[in-house]
Amino acid sequence: MSKKSPVSRSGRFAGGPAAEVAQFTESISFDWRLWKHDILGSLAHAAMLKKIGVLTRQELAAITRGLDAIGKEIKAGKFKWKAELEDVHMNIEAELTKRVPAGAKLHTARSRNDQVALDVRLWLREEITGLLGEIADLQRALVLLGEKNADVIIPGYTHMQRAQPVYLAHHLLAYVEMLERDCERLWDCHSRVNVCPLGSGAIAGSTLPLKREMVAKLLGFVNDGGAVQVTQNSMDGVSDRDFMIEFAAAAALLAVHFSRLAEDVILWAGTEFNFIKIADAYTTGSSLMPQKKNPDIAELARGKTGRVVGNLMALLTLLKGLPMTYNRDLQEDKERLFDTADTVRATTRLLAAMLRNTKVNKAACAAAACDPALLATDLADYLVRKGMPFRQAHHVVGAVVALAEKAGKPLNKLTLAELQSVEPVTGTKYFGRDALGVFNLKTAMAKRNITGAPGTKEVAKQLARWRGRLS
Ligand code: ARG
């Protein structure tokens, strides 16, 4: 292929690039998906060109009609993308110019460098808003699962060893908190995405009296306080990809949170835990072992974290040592960006759907949570209430645990005499007849009522708080 490209190469070049060069340098195969934002940017730019007298009213009308028609064809899948036109910007502009002579004026004081910077910002702005909505839905699914099983208690784990009892809802709400911080990070990143670079030109702005604020306002680059946001340095405007890296970083952390949730789900769905049952439609079978029901959504959520973290690394490396200003290297940003956004959005959606189709096995949870060893710390707290220093209480309860192990019975089956047998001989008896009452799980849960604790009242309060916030 050595066709002359009608848009960018006319004049300086004798012919189009060699076929293998065109194939190596094209980006239309992936940046076509910026078409809507490219058209929106062109419409705003054209309106501004009319305002400063570069376009007549009729020319603006013709360009607007032409771009609208092209947009409709793209949407309907009828537009023919041409690889020899390299990218989405040139494909749309070339087609417009073929149909509308005034299209040749559209690129006045604009370069693909500020155009692509604009398009990805517009695209990402929308993606972040969409993703935030989907994360809220996943939070709602977690809250709902907690509410439906409000009375379910499970062991909480540290080092994967049973530690202390918690309400299942408390465990699930830990993820709701993580996801909320992810939302805050994404929204913070959004404020830096939401700045208009158009008018930066190729590198050095323009000698024409562009109305940058007008374009920015038309495209909604306005902050919470209503102030129009435009980039303040043309060189930075065309080469900055910080906003993209920030998004990739926030998304990577989100994916890491997904991987932790996924791991819990995988463990809980396993025969050894048996805490939950995921509905058939949200699991897959084995091609060989007929009995298998695999938690593939959770496994893929965990696995996809690798590519999202990898995309962040790729973007950081892409920017590292890149001289000012635009370099073609930057074309490599888009696939990483698209992949990150697509991956976290799909994962968010599927995790929410999976959780909505998950049932809790209350009997298995109760069997695991009734282990009295989970309340050994409560027994130490009992001694503290009686005036014993905590370090000593910890030691005494340790001896109680050893005694129970030796006697081959659970902690709550020890007698008062056995408890008292390990107390230091000081004259005061710390263990009283009420000591074994510590092992009543229900009262134990009722006692944990400081802010953030997994107590009965506190968890109900947190569930209600999240229910209200997310509705
Ligand atoms: N496809 C290019 C990209 O994604 C658009 C900008 C091209 N600019 C240039 N001077 N060749 O970065």
Side-chain angles (χ1 to χ4, degrees):
M1 165 182 41
S2 178
K3 259 188 269 162
K4 206 166 153 175
S5 143
V7 179
S8 79
R9 298 176 66 95
S10 49
R12 168 72 175 79
F13 293 89
E20 58 179 358
V21 175
Q23 201 181 24
F24 189 68
T25 56
E26 67 85 23
S27 56
I28 190 63
S29 55
F30 50 87
D31 69 12
W32 65 269
R33 60 190 286 187
L34 295 172
W35 67 267
K36 197 177 79 190
H37 309 90
D38 197 72
I39 288 177
L40 282 174
S42 288
L43 288 170
H45 185 64
M48 185 274 293
L49 290 178
K50 146 83 179 44
K51 186 96 181 164
I52 63 169
V54 172
L55 293 176
T56 64
R57 197 150 53 85
Q58 291 78 2
E59 286 172 330
L60 173 62
I63 287 175
T64 305
R65 270 197 309 275
L67 287 173
D68 283 347
I70 289 173
K72 285 204 180 82
E73 285 163 35
I74 298 173
K75 200 167 174 193
K78 289 189 188 128
F79 191 82
K80 281 222 162 8
W81 299 107
K82 296 184 184 133
E84 66 269 25
L85 289 174
E86 258 186 51
D87 56 26
V88 63
H89 325 294
M90 296 220 287
N91 265 272
I92 293 176
E93 195 191 325
E95 187 56 33
L96 176 73
T97 309
K98 221 165 79 187
R99 301 177 187 192
V100 180
K105 293 187 177 180
L106 183 60
H107 214 49
T108 308
R110 187 174 70 165
S111 157
R112 278 185 295 157
N113 297 353
D114 59 351
Q115 194 175 354
V116 72
L118 171 72
D119 292 2
V120 284
R121 281 172 184 269
L122 286 171
W123 184 88
L124 184 52
R125 216 171 57 175
E126 233 173 74
E127 277 300 313
I128 291 175
T129 315
L131 176 58
L132 286 173
E134 277 171 334
I135 296 175
D137 193 53
L138 173 55
Q139 288 177 304
R140 275 191 286 273
L142 286 158
V143 170
L144 189 67
L145 190 60
E147 285 174 335
K148 279 202 284 197
N149 299 281
D151 55 339
V152 174
I153 301 168
I154 56 170
Y157 296 78
T158 65
H159 313 268
M160 279 311 290
Q161 306 287 316
R162 284 182 182 174
Q164 292 186 292
V166 294
Y167 279 100
L168 173 75
H170 190 64
H171 193 135
L172 296 172
L173 286 177
Y175 286 105
V176 176
E177 296 281 345
M178 287 179 232
L179 294 175
E180 190 63 15
R181 292 193 297 276
D182 289 320
C183 287
E184 285 169 16
R185 271 182 284 272
L186 286 164
W187 191 241
D188 181 57
C189 156
H190 183 277
S191 67
R192 279 173 297 281
V193 175
N194 196 26
V195 184
C196 186
L198 210 65
S200 299
I203 167 172
S206 172
T207 58
L208 297 168
L210 305 185
K211 293 197 176 307
R212 294 195 59 203
E213 279 75 14
M214 174 190 166
V215 175
K217 208 167 164 185
L218 283 173
L219 293 170
F221 287 102
V222 176
N223 71 8
D224 289 342
V228 176
Q229 306 289 300
V230 297
T231 55
Q232 299 293 313
N233 181 300
S234 63
M235 294 177 79
D236 186 39
V238 292
S239 62
D240 166 32
R241 295 293 182 274
D242 295 7
F243 64 92
M244 211 182 267
I245 292 181
E246 281 187 55
F247 172 72
L253 190 44
L254 174 66
V256 166
H257 289 155
F258 287 164
S259 75
R260 297 184 65 188
L261 172 61
E263 176 63 12
D264 277 339
V265 166
I266 293 162
L267 283 172
W268 290 352
T271 315
E272 280 70 17
F273 276 82
N274 195 26
F275 287 179
I276 57 170
K277 194 166 173 284
I278 306 168
D280 287 359
Y282 290 84
T283 58
T284 55
S286 155
S287 55
L288 189 138
M289 299 164 283
Q291 87 284 13
K292 289 295 285 297
K293 210 178 104 172
N294 298 326
D296 288 30
I297 294 178
E299 288 171 83
L300 281 167
R302 187 176 60 184
K304 283 177 190 292
T305 307
R307 62 203 274 170
V308 179
V309 171
N311 288 341
L312 170 63
M313 292 309 130
L315 286 172
L316 283 167
T317 313
L318 181 65
L319 261 282
K320 184 200 166 291
L322 201 67
M324 291 283 266
T325 50
Y326 179 86
N327 295 272
R328 192 64 178 269
D329 312 44
L330 290 176
Q331 182 167 291
E332 284 288 306
D333 61 1
K334 273 167 285 299
E335 286 163 292
R336 300 304 106 223
L337 175 68
F338 296 158
D339 185 63
T340 293
D342 293 346
T343 305
V344 292
R345 284 192 73 168
T347 309
T348 312
R349 215 172 303 139
L350 267 292
L351 283 176
M354 182 193 69
L355 291 173
R356 287 205 163 91
N357 288 279
T358 293
K359 284 212 157 51
V360 173
N361 182 353
K362 296 193 178 195
C365 294
C370 74
D371 178 356
L374 291 166
L375 294 168
T377 311
D378 292 46
L379 191 61
D381 286 348
Y382 167 91
L383 294 173
V384 166
R385 281 178 207 265
K386 298 266 165 136
M388 189 184 281
F390 178 75
R391 280 290 159 218
Q392 195 182 356
H394 184 279
H395 182 83
V396 169
V397 176
V400 170
V401 171
L403 180 75
E405 256 176 33
K406 215 166 121 202
K409 40 183 177 178
L411 287 181
N412 58 344
K413 292 287 181 286
L414 291 172
T415 62
L416 180 58
E418 283 172 316
L419 289 179
Q420 287 175 341
S421 73
V422 299
E423 279 191 55
V425 221
T426 56
T428 341
K429 283 279 172 242
Y430 288 92
F431 282 122
R433 283 223 312 270
D434 54 348
L436 289 168
V438 156
F439 295 109
N440 181 317
L441 189 55
K442 215 171 155 192
T443 36
M445 295 316 281
K447 279 187 189 152
R448 298 156 147 76
N449 275 325
I450 51 171
T451 301
T456 314
K457 275 208 191 107
E458 180 62 15
V459 173
K461 197 176 93 190
Q462 294 286 347
L463 277 173
R465 179 173 75 87
W466 279 112
R467 159 71 44 199
R469 260 186 90 153
L470 294 165
S471 61

